[in-house]
Amino acid sequence: MRKAVLFIAVSLDAFIADGENGVGWLEGQDPAAETVDFYGEFVQDIDTVVMGWRTYEQVVTELSPSCWPYGELTAYVVTHRTVPPADGVRFTGEDPCALIRRLRRESGKGVWICGGAEIAQALLRSDLIDRLCISVIPTLLGNGVRLFGPLDGERKLRLLSARTSNGITELTYERRGPALLE
């Protein structure tokens, strides 16, 4: 069964975007210093990316407006909008949990949960995230879009690794407890 992996950056106070939905703060403590490419290492074990509409819009309008950065991955954008087709992107109105359940049963590499918060929270509530790779950025935002929301109970995790580069700390956890039987 394929693994669903949440790979995302957060501020130290657990926001994934600032109060204006911006991500201009996503950088290490020294802009001139070299930072380890956590993403480049991560994506080697991934062939599918899932994101919500707001994350998609942010990628195509702000982060990478001139080219789609996930061209080698099968990309799903969860949206209720009617959207014209785009190269390399599958727009779907499928429930995120149903989508992840379906993708996990298909053959392939890992499934990257790219964002946003609503999708990540729904998948966490349904216990559908196998691994969390959280890069903590050395910034306190004070407000914005929270990554984690209410759960119906605790989720026990096992720390697999912790590493730092230029003040960014990447924490990788996997679920503790029984494996999903889907």
Side-chain angles (χ1 to χ4, degrees), residues 11-40:
S11 63
L12 184 59
D13 47 356
F15 293 103
I16 61 171
D18 64 25
E20 286 78 45
N21 283 326
V23 292
W25 51 273
L26 289 173
E27 61 184 15
Q29 61 195 12
D30 181 358
E34 190 172 325
T35 303
V36 171
D37 182 11
F38 295 141
Y39 169 78

PDB file of all heavy atoms in Angstrom, residues 11-40:
ATOM      1  N   SER A  11       5.430  27.808  10.454  1.00  0.00           N
ATOM      2  CA  SER A  11       6.134  28.730  11.340  1.00  0.00           C
ATOM      3  C   SER A  11       6.288  28.035  12.691  1.00  0.00           C
ATOM      4  O   SER A  11       5.645  27.008  12.950  1.00  0.00           O
ATOM      5  CB  SER A  11       5.334  30.021  11.495  1.00  0.00           C
ATOM      6  OG  SER A  11       4.079  29.748  12.108  1.00  0.00           O
ATOM      7  N   LEU A  12       7.111  28.594  13.551  1.00  0.00           N
ATOM      8  CA  LEU A  12       7.304  27.994  14.871  1.00  0.00           C
ATOM      9  C   LEU A  12       5.985  27.901  15.641  1.00  0.00           C
ATOM     10  O   LEU A  12       5.787  26.986  16.431  1.00  0.00           O
ATOM     11  CB  LEU A  12       8.336  28.796  15.676  1.00  0.00           C
ATOM     12  CG  LEU A  12       8.718  28.243  17.032  1.00  0.00           C
ATOM     13  CD1 LEU A  12       9.298  26.846  16.910  1.00  0.00           C
ATOM     14  CD2 LEU A  12       9.711  29.163  17.715  1.00  0.00           C
ATOM     15  N   ASP A  13       5.037  28.811  15.359  1.00  0.00           N
ATOM     16  CA  ASP A  13       3.740  28.762  16.018  1.00  0.00           C
ATOM     17  C   ASP A  13       2.690  28.024  15.188  1.00  0.00           C
ATOM     18  O   ASP A  13       1.489  28.202  15.376  1.00  0.00           O
ATOM     19  CB  ASP A  13       3.267  30.151  16.470  1.00  0.00           C
ATOM     20  CG  ASP A  13       3.394  31.240  15.427  1.00  0.00           C
ATOM     21  OD1 ASP A  13       3.936  30.978  14.322  1.00  0.00           O
ATOM     22  OD2 ASP A  13       2.955  32.374  15.690  1.00  0.00           O
ATOM     23  N   ALA A  14       3.132  27.170  14.259  1.00  0.00           N
ATOM     24  CA  ALA A  14       2.307  26.188  13.533  1.00  0.00           C
ATOM     25  C   ALA A  14       1.349  26.766  12.508  1.00  0.00           C
ATOM     26  O   ALA A  14       0.288  26.204  12.254  1.00  0.00           O
ATOM     27  CB  ALA A  14       1.584  25.263  14.500  1.00  0.00           C
ATOM     28  N   PHE A  15       1.722  27.875  11.877  1.00  0.00           N
ATOM     29  CA  PHE A  15       0.937  28.418  10.775  1.00  0.00           C
ATOM     30  C   PHE A  15       1.600  28.031   9.457  1.00  0.00           C
ATOM     31  O   PHE A  15       2.832  28.013   9.348  1.00  0.00           O
ATOM     32  CB  PHE A  15       0.840  29.944  10.864  1.00  0.00           C
ATOM     33  CG  PHE A  15       0.050  30.430  12.046  1.00  0.00           C
ATOM     34  CD1 PHE A  15       0.699  30.944  13.161  1.00  0.00           C
ATOM     35  CD2 PHE A  15      -1.332  30.373  12.048  1.00  0.00           C
ATOM     36  CE1 PHE A  15      -0.016  31.391  14.258  1.00  0.00           C
ATOM     37  CE2 PHE A  15      -2.059  30.818  13.143  1.00  0.00           C
ATOM     38  CZ  PHE A  15      -1.404  31.325  14.254  1.00  0.00           C
ATOM     39  N   ILE A  16       0.776  27.747   8.426  1.00  0.00           N
ATOM     40  CA  ILE A  16       1.325  27.437   7.107  1.00  0.00           C
ATOM     41  C   ILE A  16       1.239  28.631   6.160  1.00  0.00           C
ATOM     42  O   ILE A  16       1.798  28.590   5.068  1.00  0.00           O
ATOM     43  CB  ILE A  16       0.658  26.198   6.477  1.00  0.00           C
ATOM     44  CG1 ILE A  16      -0.835  26.399   6.274  1.00  0.00           C
ATOM     45  CG2 ILE A  16       0.951  24.968   7.318  1.00  0.00           C
ATOM     46  CD1 ILE A  16      -1.494  25.289   5.457  1.00  0.00           C
ATOM     47  N   ALA A  17       0.541  29.660   6.577  1.00  0.00           N
ATOM     48  CA  ALA A  17       0.457  30.909   5.811  1.00  0.00           C
ATOM     49  C   ALA A  17       0.197  32.030   6.805  1.00  0.00           C
ATOM     50  O   ALA A  17      -0.350  31.806   7.887  1.00  0.00           O
ATOM     51  CB  ALA A  17      -0.656  30.847   4.769  1.00  0.00           C
ATOM     52  N   ASP A  18       0.585  33.239   6.425  1.00  0.00           N
ATOM     53  CA  ASP A  18       0.358  34.376   7.326  1.00  0.00           C
ATOM     54  C   ASP A  18      -1.087  34.844   7.225  1.00  0.00           C
ATOM     55  O   ASP A  18      -1.908  34.229   6.542  1.00  0.00           O
ATOM     56  CB  ASP A  18       1.363  35.498   7.051  1.00  0.00           C
ATOM     57  CG  ASP A  18       1.238  36.123   5.669  1.00  0.00           C
ATOM     58  OD1 ASP A  18       0.142  36.077   5.057  1.00  0.00           O
ATOM     59  OD2 ASP A  18       2.248  36.673   5.188  1.00  0.00           O
ATOM     60  N   GLY A  19      -1.420  35.941   7.884  1.00  0.00           N
ATOM     61  CA  GLY A  19      -2.785  36.447   7.936  1.00  0.00           C
ATOM     62  C   GLY A  19      -3.367  36.835   6.589  1.00  0.00           C
ATOM     63  O   GLY A  19      -4.575  36.897   6.428  1.00  0.00           O
ATOM     64  N   GLU A  20      -2.521  37.060   5.591  1.00  0.00           N
ATOM     65  CA  GLU A  20      -2.976  37.388   4.233  1.00  0.00           C
ATOM     66  C   GLU A  20      -2.789  36.199   3.289  1.00  0.00           C
ATOM     67  O   GLU A  20      -2.743  36.370   2.073  1.00  0.00           O
ATOM     68  CB  GLU A  20      -2.222  38.600   3.686  1.00  0.00           C
ATOM     69  CG  GLU A  20      -2.648  39.933   4.299  1.00  0.00           C
ATOM     70  CD  GLU A  20      -2.046  40.142   5.688  1.00  0.00           C
ATOM     71  OE1 GLU A  20      -0.838  39.888   5.860  1.00  0.00           O
ATOM     72  OE2 GLU A  20      -2.797  40.538   6.602  1.00  0.00           O
ATOM     73  N   ASN A  21      -2.645  35.000   3.838  1.00  0.00           N
ATOM     74  CA  ASN A  21      -2.386  33.773   3.086  1.00  0.00           C
ATOM     75  C   ASN A  21      -1.046  33.787   2.372  1.00  0.00           C
ATOM     76  O   ASN A  21      -0.831  33.032   1.423  1.00  0.00           O
ATOM     77  CB  ASN A  21      -3.512  33.456   2.093  1.00  0.00           C
ATOM     78  CG  ASN A  21      -4.719  32.871   2.771  1.00  0.00           C
ATOM     79  OD1 ASN A  21      -4.589  32.147   3.751  1.00  0.00           O
ATOM     80  ND2 ASN A  21      -5.889  33.204   2.281  1.00  0.00           N
ATOM     81  N   GLY A  22      -0.115  34.627   2.807  1.00  0.00           N
ATOM     82  CA  GLY A  22       1.197  34.720   2.188  1.00  0.00           C
ATOM     83  C   GLY A  22       2.191  33.740   2.776  1.00  0.00           C
ATOM     84  O   GLY A  22       2.057  33.283   3.912  1.00  0.00           O
ATOM     85  N   VAL A  23       3.216  33.422   1.968  1.00  0.00           N
ATOM     86  CA  VAL A  23       4.263  32.521   2.411  1.00  0.00           C
ATOM     87  C   VAL A  23       5.651  33.116   2.165  1.00  0.00           C
ATOM     88  O   VAL A  23       6.634  32.392   2.065  1.00  0.00           O
ATOM     89  CB  VAL A  23       4.143  31.128   1.735  1.00  0.00           C
ATOM     90  CG1 VAL A  23       2.902  30.403   2.222  1.00  0.00           C
ATOM     91  CG2 VAL A  23       4.154  31.251   0.223  1.00  0.00           C
ATOM     92  N   GLY A  24       5.728  34.421   2.105  1.00  0.00           N
ATOM     93  CA  GLY A  24       7.005  35.084   1.885  1.00  0.00           C
ATOM     94  C   GLY A  24       8.008  34.873   3.006  1.00  0.00           C
ATOM     95  O   GLY A  24       9.192  35.136   2.845  1.00  0.00           O
ATOM     96  N   TRP A  25       7.561  34.374   4.115  1.00  0.00           N
ATOM     97  CA  TRP A  25       8.405  34.128   5.289  1.00  0.00           C
ATOM     98  C   TRP A  25       9.098  32.765   5.237  1.00  0.00           C
ATOM     99  O   TRP A  25       9.870  32.425   6.122  1.00  0.00           O
ATOM    100  CB  TRP A  25       7.540  34.212   6.551  1.00  0.00           C
ATOM    101  CG  TRP A  25       6.308  33.363   6.448  1.00  0.00           C
ATOM    102  CD1 TRP A  25       5.099  33.723   5.908  1.00  0.00           C
ATOM    103  CD2 TRP A  25       6.171  31.992   6.847  1.00  0.00           C
ATOM    104  NE1 TRP A  25       4.232  32.658   5.957  1.00  0.00           N
ATOM    105  CE2 TRP A  25       4.868  31.587   6.528  1.00  0.00           C
ATOM    106  CE3 TRP A  25       7.028  31.088   7.438  1.00  0.00           C
ATOM    107  CZ2 TRP A  25       4.386  30.312   6.776  1.00  0.00           C
ATOM    108  CZ3 TRP A  25       6.564  29.803   7.691  1.00  0.00           C
ATOM    109  CH2 TRP A  25       5.246  29.431   7.358  1.00  0.00           C
ATOM    110  N   LEU A  26       8.870  31.980   4.182  1.00  0.00           N
ATOM    111  CA  LEU A  26       9.449  30.637   4.076  1.00  0.00           C
ATOM    112  C   LEU A  26      10.913  30.700   3.659  1.00  0.00           C
ATOM    113  O   LEU A  26      11.255  30.539   2.490  1.00  0.00           O
ATOM    114  CB  LEU A  26       8.674  29.794   3.048  1.00  0.00           C
ATOM    115  CG  LEU A  26       7.288  29.355   3.461  1.00  0.00           C
ATOM    116  CD1 LEU A  26       6.575  28.684   2.297  1.00  0.00           C
ATOM    117  CD2 LEU A  26       7.348  28.430   4.667  1.00  0.00           C
ATOM    118  N   GLU A  27      11.753  30.951   4.646  1.00  0.00           N
ATOM    119  CA  GLU A  27      13.186  30.988   4.391  1.00  0.00           C
ATOM    120  C   GLU A  27      13.921  30.719   5.697  1.00  0.00           C
ATOM    121  O   GLU A  27      13.359  30.828   6.773  1.00  0.00           O
ATOM    122  CB  GLU A  27      13.610  32.331   3.818  1.00  0.00           C
ATOM    123  CG  GLU A  27      13.342  33.503   4.739  1.00  0.00           C
ATOM    124  CD  GLU A  27      13.674  34.847   4.119  1.00  0.00           C
ATOM    125  OE1 GLU A  27      13.846  34.915   2.897  1.00  0.00           O
ATOM    126  OE2 GLU A  27      13.758  35.828   4.868  1.00  0.00           O
ATOM    127  N   GLY A  28      15.188  30.375   5.557  1.00  0.00           N
ATOM    128  CA  GLY A  28      16.008  30.133   6.730  1.00  0.00           C
ATOM    129  C   GLY A  28      16.368  31.427   7.421  1.00  0.00           C
ATOM    130  O   GLY A  28      15.970  32.522   7.010  1.00  0.00           O
ATOM    131  N   GLN A  29      17.157  31.309   8.469  1.00  0.00           N
ATOM    132  CA  GLN A  29      17.498  32.478   9.281  1.00  0.00           C
ATOM    133  C   GLN A  29      18.500  33.404   8.612  1.00  0.00           C
ATOM    134  O   GLN A  29      18.584  34.575   8.953  1.00  0.00           O
ATOM    135  CB  GLN A  29      18.006  32.033  10.642  1.00  0.00           C
ATOM    136  CG  GLN A  29      19.261  31.189  10.588  1.00  0.00           C
ATOM    137  CD  GLN A  29      19.530  30.474  11.882  1.00  0.00           C
ATOM    138  OE1 GLN A  29      18.685  30.411  12.764  1.00  0.00           O
ATOM    139  NE2 GLN A  29      20.722  29.926  12.011  1.00  0.00           N
ATOM    140  N   ASP A  30      19.274  32.905   7.653  1.00  0.00           N
ATOM    141  CA  ASP A  30      20.262  33.720   6.948  1.00  0.00           C
ATOM    142  C   ASP A  30      20.032  33.566   5.453  1.00  0.00           C
ATOM    143  O   ASP A  30      20.402  32.545   4.868  1.00  0.00           O
ATOM    144  CB  ASP A  30      21.673  33.275   7.324  1.00  0.00           C
ATOM    145  CG  ASP A  30      22.758  34.090   6.650  1.00  0.00           C
ATOM    146  OD1 ASP A  30      22.440  34.995   5.847  1.00  0.00           O
ATOM    147  OD2 ASP A  30      23.942  33.817   6.926  1.00  0.00           O
ATOM    148  N   PRO A  31      19.411  34.562   4.798  1.00  0.00           N
ATOM    149  CA  PRO A  31      19.106  34.444   3.368  1.00  0.00           C
ATOM    150  C   PRO A  31      20.335  34.173   2.498  1.00  0.00           C
ATOM    151  O   PRO A  31      20.211  33.615   1.413  1.00  0.00           O
ATOM    152  CB  PRO A  31      18.479  35.791   3.019  1.00  0.00           C
ATOM    153  CG  PRO A  31      17.990  36.345   4.313  1.00  0.00           C
ATOM    154  CD  PRO A  31      18.932  35.809   5.370  1.00  0.00           C
ATOM    155  N   ALA A  32      21.521  34.530   2.968  1.00  0.00           N
ATOM    156  CA  ALA A  32      22.735  34.321   2.175  1.00  0.00           C
ATOM    157  C   ALA A  32      23.337  32.928   2.380  1.00  0.00           C
ATOM    158  O   ALA A  32      24.204  32.509   1.618  1.00  0.00           O
ATOM    159  CB  ALA A  32      23.769  35.385   2.528  1.00  0.00           C
ATOM    160  N   ALA A  33      22.881  32.211   3.399  1.00  0.00           N
ATOM    161  CA  ALA A  33      23.449  30.895   3.704  1.00  0.00           C
ATOM    162  C   ALA A  33      22.834  29.818   2.819  1.00  0.00           C
ATOM    163  O   ALA A  33      21.692  29.923   2.380  1.00  0.00           O
ATOM    164  CB  ALA A  33      23.222  30.553   5.174  1.00  0.00           C
ATOM    165  N   GLU A  34      23.589  28.767   2.591  1.00  0.00           N
ATOM    166  CA  GLU A  34      23.086  27.623   1.842  1.00  0.00           C
ATOM    167  C   GLU A  34      22.192  26.795   2.757  1.00  0.00           C
ATOM    168  O   GLU A  34      22.479  26.613   3.936  1.00  0.00           O
ATOM    169  CB  GLU A  34      24.252  26.781   1.345  1.00  0.00           C
ATOM    170  CG  GLU A  34      23.830  25.715   0.364  1.00  0.00           C
ATOM    171  CD  GLU A  34      25.027  25.022  -0.276  1.00  0.00           C
ATOM    172  OE1 GLU A  34      26.045  25.679  -0.505  1.00  0.00           O
ATOM    173  OE2 GLU A  34      24.903  23.813  -0.515  1.00  0.00           O
ATOM    174  N   THR A  35      21.090  26.294   2.186  1.00  0.00           N
ATOM    175  CA  THR A  35      20.144  25.486   2.941  1.00  0.00           C
ATOM    176  C   THR A  35      20.020  24.126   2.265  1.00  0.00           C
ATOM    177  O   THR A  35      19.922  24.044   1.039  1.00  0.00           O
ATOM    178  CB  THR A  35      18.760  26.178   2.997  1.00  0.00           C
ATOM    179  OG1 THR A  35      18.922  27.479   3.568  1.00  0.00           O
ATOM    180  CG2 THR A  35      17.773  25.387   3.828  1.00  0.00           C
ATOM    181  N   VAL A  36      20.005  23.055   3.048  1.00  0.00           N
ATOM    182  CA  VAL A  36      19.833  21.709   2.503  1.00  0.00           C
ATOM    183  C   VAL A  36      18.498  21.643   1.769  1.00  0.00           C
ATOM    184  O   VAL A  36      17.487  22.171   2.220  1.00  0.00           O
ATOM    185  CB  VAL A  36      19.873  20.651   3.638  1.00  0.00           C
ATOM    186  CG1 VAL A  36      19.476  19.274   3.120  1.00  0.00           C
ATOM    187  CG2 VAL A  36      21.244  20.607   4.272  1.00  0.00           C
ATOM    188  N   ASP A  37      18.486  20.984   0.627  1.00  0.00           N
ATOM    189  CA  ASP A  37      17.279  20.834  -0.180  1.00  0.00           C
ATOM    190  C   ASP A  37      16.454  19.654   0.333  1.00  0.00           C
ATOM    191  O   ASP A  37      16.492  18.561  -0.223  1.00  0.00           O
ATOM    192  CB  ASP A  37      17.675  20.634  -1.648  1.00  0.00           C
ATOM    193  CG  ASP A  37      16.475  20.528  -2.569  1.00  0.00           C
ATOM    194  OD1 ASP A  37      15.341  20.819  -2.133  1.00  0.00           O
ATOM    195  OD2 ASP A  37      16.679  20.134  -3.738  1.00  0.00           O
ATOM    196  N   PHE A  38      15.715  19.879   1.412  1.00  0.00           N
ATOM    197  CA  PHE A  38      14.874  18.829   1.980  1.00  0.00           C
ATOM    198  C   PHE A  38      13.872  18.330   0.936  1.00  0.00           C
ATOM    199  O   PHE A  38      13.592  17.140   0.835  1.00  0.00           O
ATOM    200  CB  PHE A  38      14.117  19.323   3.219  1.00  0.00           C
ATOM    201  CG  PHE A  38      14.995  19.688   4.391  1.00  0.00           C
ATOM    202  CD1 PHE A  38      14.691  20.796   5.165  1.00  0.00           C
ATOM    203  CD2 PHE A  38      16.098  18.936   4.742  1.00  0.00           C
ATOM    204  CE1 PHE A  38      15.461  21.136   6.262  1.00  0.00           C
ATOM    205  CE2 PHE A  38      16.886  19.261   5.842  1.00  0.00           C
ATOM    206  CZ  PHE A  38      16.570  20.372   6.597  1.00  0.00           C
ATOM    207  N   TYR A  39      13.297  19.243   0.163  1.00  0.00           N
ATOM    208  CA  TYR A  39      12.300  18.884  -0.846  1.00  0.00           C
ATOM    209  C   TYR A  39      12.892  17.935  -1.893  1.00  0.00           C
ATOM    210  O   TYR A  39      12.280  16.928  -2.238  1.00  0.00           O
ATOM    211  CB  TYR A  39      11.741  20.131  -1.524  1.00  0.00           C
ATOM    212  CG  TYR A  39      10.907  19.803  -2.743  1.00  0.00           C
ATOM    213  CD1 TYR A  39       9.604  19.344  -2.607  1.00  0.00           C
ATOM    214  CD2 TYR A  39      11.432  19.920  -4.027  1.00  0.00           C
ATOM    215  CE1 TYR A  39       8.839  19.015  -3.721  1.00  0.00           C
ATOM    216  CE2 TYR A  39      10.676  19.597  -5.147  1.00  0.00           C
ATOM    217  CZ  TYR A  39       9.385  19.144  -4.981  1.00  0.00           C
ATOM    218  OH  TYR A  39       8.642  18.813  -6.087  1.00  0.00           O
ATOM    219  N   GLY A  40      14.061  18.248  -2.414  1.00  0.00           N
ATOM    220  CA  GLY A  40      14.678  17.422  -3.443  1.00  0.00           C
ATOM    221  C   GLY A  40      14.889  15.993  -2.980  1.00  0.00           C
ATOM    222  O   GLY A  40      14.722  15.042  -3.752  1.00  0.00           O
TER     223      GLY A  40
END
